[in-house]
Amino acid sequence: MKEIMIDPITRLEGHGNVSIFLDENGEVKNAYLKIPELRGFEAFCVGRPAELMPILTTRICGVCPVAHHYASVKALDAAFGVEPPPAAKKLRELQYMGYLIYDHTLHFYFLGGPDFIVGPDAPIEKRNILGVIERAGMDVAKEVIKHRAYGQKITEIIGGKATHPVSGLPGGMSKPLSEESRSSILEMARSSLEFAKFTLGMFHEVVLEDPRYASMIGSQTYTMRTYYMGMVDDNDNVNFYDGKIRVVDPDGEELTKFEAMEYRQHIEERVEPWTYSKFPYLRKIGWNGFKDGKDSGIYRVGPLGRLNAAKGMSTPLAQKEYELLFRTLGKPAHGTLVFHWARLIELLYAAERAVELASDRSITSKDIRNTPGTPGEGVGIVEAARGTLIHDYRLDKDALIKDVNMIVATTNNYPAICMSIRDAAKGLIADGIVNDTVLNKVEMAFRAYDPCFGCATHYAIGKMPLEIRIFDNLNNHIGTLTRGL
């Protein structure tokens, strides 16, 4: 059996590689996405003071620290039995919208977008942000840089730091928002709204109106019928900061809706010997291997998961685009490449919601923290840019961490990402013919999810399972050493 390696895979957060196995006829038998990183946060956070967790866990990732910060803060709200004042909740959500603005912009223009704006079969040296600038022009590049910076500036004003925020505390926030800062954020949010509308317009023109891409989006190579999960508000609209978790089946019917503290009743995790990331699945349906369909508990989160799991968006322009997506593709939409469209709808929502929150003068209230109670257990859930993020803490009587479990956005999607890569490889490779364009199209299957493998690996079992593959100077595989496998 012949093995084709894509190592390293590119344009993602973190590290990974793909092994594609061909049979004697050159047809794909299977493919694996392996994540070689191991961070072990679940282990080394044990014994530390609980109040350090919102600071420690932002170091999991430099791309989505805001999501880890507020998943952690919400877990401590619950663990100490305290509800933040309304102004504190608004500040947290406004900061969160800044995070979504810079994160979704990053993915479209730097990571996933080059495959469409430049083209999946363009020379490899062009499939990057420099190729995007060459195609779209320097004026667009300046707008991209400016609005990524606006998102980070909003995070810095409210969070204290642009990358690793420190302002969230159990029961509220550490500092109020001044009128001057509110006005500054409102101006940046309004500008970001115009930028989001421009970006969606570009997506329509470059991708949706191009028959080649429309064909790819609708092809079986990039389609899976899975369950979908996302946070919703009281009207079952998408919400990133607060609400219940809703799960729908492959036909779009609600399977369940649950509170954060109930997640263990609905999500189970398993491990495989060839990767350091875990594989979550729906407990009620069960694990039935790497396959889609109603009898498989594999689900998807992130932009497509959220839009499929919800009944709408709570802001007018995002709602209009939401309706167009499902009127065009049907609901639920099962195409993996539809993640890109869904992500830009969320970018529009984040900018609209930021304008709403920054226009609310009550957000400058100085009543921003309530007193925490006695320590116990708490679960915090937010919707990270990449999907549902769960922090679960158990504290002792001295408020030291006894136990930690994290189910990170990319971890939720890991089973589906593996299947997407396998199915893309099977659909694109025939008779053993493989070239750079084919392998890039295989990579497009994981890029759609915007995976962050640095975030995804926290499990530690006391010793690190390890496989070392040995090659000679002609790149021939001559041996393998293993430990703990």
Side-chain angles (χ1 to χ4, degrees):
M1 186 170 290
K2 182 180 178 182
E3 179 181 4
I4 298 170
M5 289 282 291
I6 308 176
D7 187 14
I9 54 177
T10 58
R11 283 187 275 134
L12 75 160
E13 290 94 8
H15 305 282
N17 60 66
V18 171
S19 291
I20 302 171
F21 293 92
L22 307 184
D23 64 16
E24 59 277 9
N25 297 317
E27 304 299 322
V28 174
K29 293 294 291 182
N30 214 333
Y32 297 90
L33 169 64
K34 293 172 287 183
I35 304 176
E37 297 171 271
L38 178 64
R39 299 204 168 190
F41 271 73
E42 288 175 337
F44 70 69
C45 285
V46 173
R48 298 180 184 276
E51 65 267 26
L52 291 182
M53 293 299 285
I55 309 300
L56 287 174
T57 55
T58 62
R59 266 63 182 183
I60 290 172
C61 178
V63 180
C64 33
V66 178
H68 283 289
H69 186 62
Y70 283 116
S72 182
V73 169
K74 288 182 68 179
L76 294 184
D77 288 343
F80 287 107
V82 59
E83 183 76 8
K89 288 185 175 181
K90 291 174 185 175
L91 283 173
R92 291 178 180 183
E93 188 179 0
L94 179 55
Q95 183 184 351
Y96 214 85
M97 294 304 107
Y99 150 65
L100 287 173
I101 289 169
Y102 78 68
D103 199 300
H104 278 358
T105 299
L106 169 72
H107 185 266
F108 180 68
Y109 285 99
F110 290 73
L111 304 178
D115 290 322
F116 297 98
I117 298 174
V118 182
D121 51 1
I124 189 171
E125 64 272 17
K126 299 285 187 183
R127 295 195 305 260
N128 50 51
I129 182 60
L130 296 180
V132 170
I133 293 172
E134 184 176 311
R135 173 76 187 276
M138 187 57 72
D139 289 342
V140 173
K142 290 177 180 176
E143 290 297 300
V144 171
I145 293 170
K146 182 173 78 174
H147 289 94
R148 277 211 74 232
Y150 279 176
Q152 291 195 294
K153 188 65 178 176
I154 293 171
T155 297
E156 182 181 2
I157 290 172
I158 300 174
K161 298 174 71 175
T163 301
H164 297 114
V166 295
S167 60
L169 300 170
M173 298 289 281
S174 62
K175 65 169 186 174
L177 185 68
S178 69
E179 176 57 29
E180 181 183 6
S181 293
R182 185 196 67 81
S183 178
S184 174
I185 290 174
L186 179 57
E187 185 177 339
M188 289 187 282
R190 285 172 172 159
S191 181
S192 297
L193 178 55
E194 296 306 310
F195 174 70
K197 289 192 285 188
F198 165 80
T199 302
L200 255 173
M202 174 187 283
F203 186 79
H204 276 264
E205 179 182 342
V206 173
V207 179
L208 299 180
E209 295 175 12
D210 187 325
R212 296 173 303 162
Y213 294 141
S215 175
M216 287 179 68
I217 290 171
S219 70
Q220 286 302 308
T221 297
Y222 295 107
T223 297
M224 292 193 309
R225 291 177 54 82
T226 62
Y227 288 79
Y228 297 95
M229 177 186 293
M231 184 179 286
V232 295
D233 63 17
D234 291 342
N235 297 315
D236 284 342
N237 289 330
V238 169
N239 197 291
F240 288 85
Y241 172 73
D242 205 7
K244 294 182 179 179
I245 304 303
R246 187 169 192 252
V247 181
V248 299
D249 69 17
D251 294 326
E253 298 298 321
E254 181 177 299
L255 175 73
T256 185
K257 189 161 60 174
F258 58 87
E259 300 278 1
M261 288 296 290
E262 301 169 335
Y263 87 94
R264 296 188 203 94
Q265 301 171 29
H266 300 276
I267 301 175
E268 183 62 275
E269 300 174 271
R270 62 178 279 112
V271 297
E272 293 283 344
W274 43 271
T275 180
Y276 289 134
S277 183
K278 292 184 282 188
F279 291 90
Y281 60 94
L282 297 169
R283 183 187 291 270
K284 184 175 181 180
I285 306 301
W287 177 264
N288 291 308
F290 291 93
K291 64 179 186 179
D292 64 356
K294 267 192 168 181
D295 62 347
S296 171
I298 290 173
Y299 58 91
R300 291 197 271 184
V301 299
L304 184 62
R306 283 188 286 261
L307 267 59
N308 274 332
K311 293 182 178 177
M313 313 294 289
S314 62
T315 58
L317 296 179
Q319 173 64 20
K320 184 178 179 182
E321 190 73 15
Y322 173 96
E323 292 172 3
L324 176 61
L325 185 154
F326 290 116
R327 191 163 61 245
T328 304
L329 302 173
K331 189 178 182 185
H334 294 296
T336 299
L337 299 182
V338 184
F339 267 91
H340 296 286
W341 192 356
R343 187 170 291 111
L344 295 184
I345 294 173
E346 291 187 343
L347 174 63
L348 185 62
Y349 166 83
E352 286 186 286
R353 184 64 181 144
V355 171
E356 288 179 352
L357 289 163
S359 299
D360 182 354
R361 291 180 183 274
S362 70
I363 201 171
T364 60
S365 168
K366 291 183 171 51
D367 179 17
I368 54 170
R369 194 180 186 202
N370 289 324
T371 304
T374 55
E377 299 180 9
V379 177
I381 299 183
V382 295
E383 285 293 329
R386 290 151 196 84
T388 310
L389 169 62
I390 301 170
H391 282 215
D392 178 0
Y393 305 157
R394 299 183 187 192
L395 317 184
D396 68 13
K397 62 180 178 56
D398 297 318
L400 300 177
I401 295 291
K402 288 173 59 180
D403 190 27
V404 178
N405 188 43
M406 299 178 192
I407 303 180
V408 181
T410 295
T411 313
N412 284 306
N413 271 335
Y414 191 27
I417 295 174
C418 289
M419 292 159 55
S420 292
I421 288 174
R422 177 200 64 198
D423 294 350
K426 286 186 174 182
L428 294 163
I429 298 174
D431 301 325
I433 299 173
V434 180
N435 55 39
D436 173 68
T437 296
V438 168
L439 294 182
N440 183 56
K441 289 181 177 177
V442 172
E443 289 191 79
M444 287 175 66
F446 78 76
R447 277 192 205 111
Y449 294 88
D450 188 16
C452 181
F453 295 143
C455 279
T457 50
H458 306 287
Y459 180 63
I461 57 174
K463 61 181 180 179
M464 187 171 74
L466 185 68
E467 177 182 282
I468 299 175
R469 295 156 60 88
I470 304 171
F471 295 83
D472 65 16
N473 62 337
L474 298 176
N475 204 33
N476 297 311
H477 180 216
I478 59 174
T480 301
L481 300 175
T482 63
R483 182 188 70 188
L485 293 174

